[in-house]
Amino acid sequence: MSLFDQLVVKTMPLVPRAIIRRVAAKYIAGETLDDAMRVVQDFNTRGMHATVDVLGEFVSDPAEARLEIDAYLKLIDAIAERKLKSGVSVKLTAVGLSISPKLARENLKVLIDAAKKRDVFVRIDMEDSPYTSETLAIFEDFRNECRLGIVVQAYLKRTADDVKRLMDHGQTNFRLCKGIYVEPESIAYKDRRAVQDNYLALLDLMFTGGAQVGIATHDDYLIQESEKMIKSHGMDHARYEFQMLLGVLPELRDSIVKRGHRMRVYVPFGKAWYGYSTRRLKENPALAGYVVKSLFKAG
Ligand SMILES: Cc1cc2nc3c(=O)[nH]c(=O)nc-3n(C[C@H](O)[C@H](O)[C@H](O)COP(=O)(O)OP(=O)(O)OC[C@H]3O[C@@H](n4cnc5c(N)ncnc54)[C@H](O)[C@@H]3O)c2cc1C
């Protein structure tokens, strides 16, 4: 990261929200459910599946958590009614985990009952390490109640043990990603190569163990190595898919689809776009420069 980019990333909290919003617009379907459904429909028409996230996280008020659940109930109904090829992705801190695990469980139960009724797949996103164990425990509690999947992060040193345990407890649907939060060196690989090596070791573990895998990455090297592994394991198309974030490297996404793989796009929407957008911007320093350009344009 250049010094300039580092500076921009560090000073991001000072950047006016309107500018973050302009730069980040391509990562978000819009503020309304209709916006999200339009984007999903478009991907479906082009042969891709989706998973929709109602933006929101670290809710500190139970009433807010309940509002988040209400939004998910509407989302599940809309997906079912429009017969869209889409699941939903949910962050447990958005439905109450940062308040109490009990509240998160109660709220998630409501969401899961609705998803079960409508036969919509639910993916529990993985957040930062203070929540890892509880998120996995909640997944275990609900894994047989509806079509439910979990996310694991290749940068965490604990993940291989978690994956083995989850697979021992039954057929598991994973999304495998590198991990997006800043974690201490004591528990996380920091070196890019070490994270890539662990990613591929975990993918091999999942393929060998009979799991269902969402290969969630935009990393060319990982995509190429995953394709080799899919071939060498003779993996059936139904056992895996690639997953990418809305707005990130669409040409790469289309080329993966052209090579005959299933693709699912993560489609976030909602009013709480700020936290998600700043994470995306911090993650891709090259984009940070755009913030400054926008600043000048806005001026
Ligand atoms: C579908 C999906 C779901 C995810 N869910 C979670 C989750 O639940 N928990 C979690 O911790 N993390 C999640 N992530 C994020 C993930 O952990 C990584 O932080 C993120 O995908 C970047 O890693 P990468 O593997 O794409 O490789 P990188 O090496 O970071 O990226 C490869 C290339 O992709 C491009 N790129 C990457 N990010 C961006 C961006 N934001 N904007 C523009 N270009 C970009 C750049 O050109 C970069 O060189 C998810 C990612 C995806 C794709």
Side-chain angles (χ1 to χ4, degrees), residues 168-221:
D168 278 350
H169 294 171
Q171 173 69 34
T172 311
N173 189 316
F174 293 103
R175 173 195 298 150
L176 175 59
C177 66
K178 284 182 182 169
I180 201 172
Y181 301 89
V182 180
E183 299 290 358
E185 206 167 348
S186 52
I187 60 164
Y189 300 108
K190 290 289 180 186
D191 173 61
R192 181 177 170 80
R193 193 61 207 226
V195 177
Q196 286 174 325
D197 288 348
N198 199 38
Y199 192 106
L200 294 172
L202 291 166
L203 186 61
D204 190 49
L205 190 63
M206 291 169 183
F207 280 173
T208 310
Q212 195 87 20
V213 193
I215 305 168
T217 182
H218 319 94
D219 180 337
D220 255 335
Y221 168 76

Side-chain angles (χ1 to χ4, degrees), residues 24-40 43 51-53 55 246-247 266-270 273 276:
K26 68 173 187 166
Y27 299 124
I28 293 160
E31 288 198 356
T32 68
L33 177 59
D34 275 347
D35 292 333
M37 296 298 89
R38 257 193 307 276
V39 171
V40 171
F43 279 120
T51 181
V52 182
D53 169 43
L55 287 171
L246 179 66
Y266 188 100
V267 176
F269 84 99
W273 48 269
Y276 182 83

Side-chain angles (χ1 to χ4, degrees), residues 22 120-121 157 174 182 236 239 258-259 267 269 281 284:
R22 185 189 305 168
V120 169
F121 184 87
K157 295 175 183 171
F174 293 103
V182 180
D236 189 278
R239 282 267 318 277
K258 267 203 192 115
R259 293 200 292 279
V267 176
F269 84 99
L281 290 170
N284 189 18

Side-chain angles (χ1 to χ4, degrees), residues 1-11 285-290:
M1 200 189 297
S2 74
L3 272 178
F4 173 71
D5 285 338
Q6 280 180 40
L7 184 72
V8 175
V9 165
K10 282 210 177 103
T11 53
L287 273 181
Y290 290 123

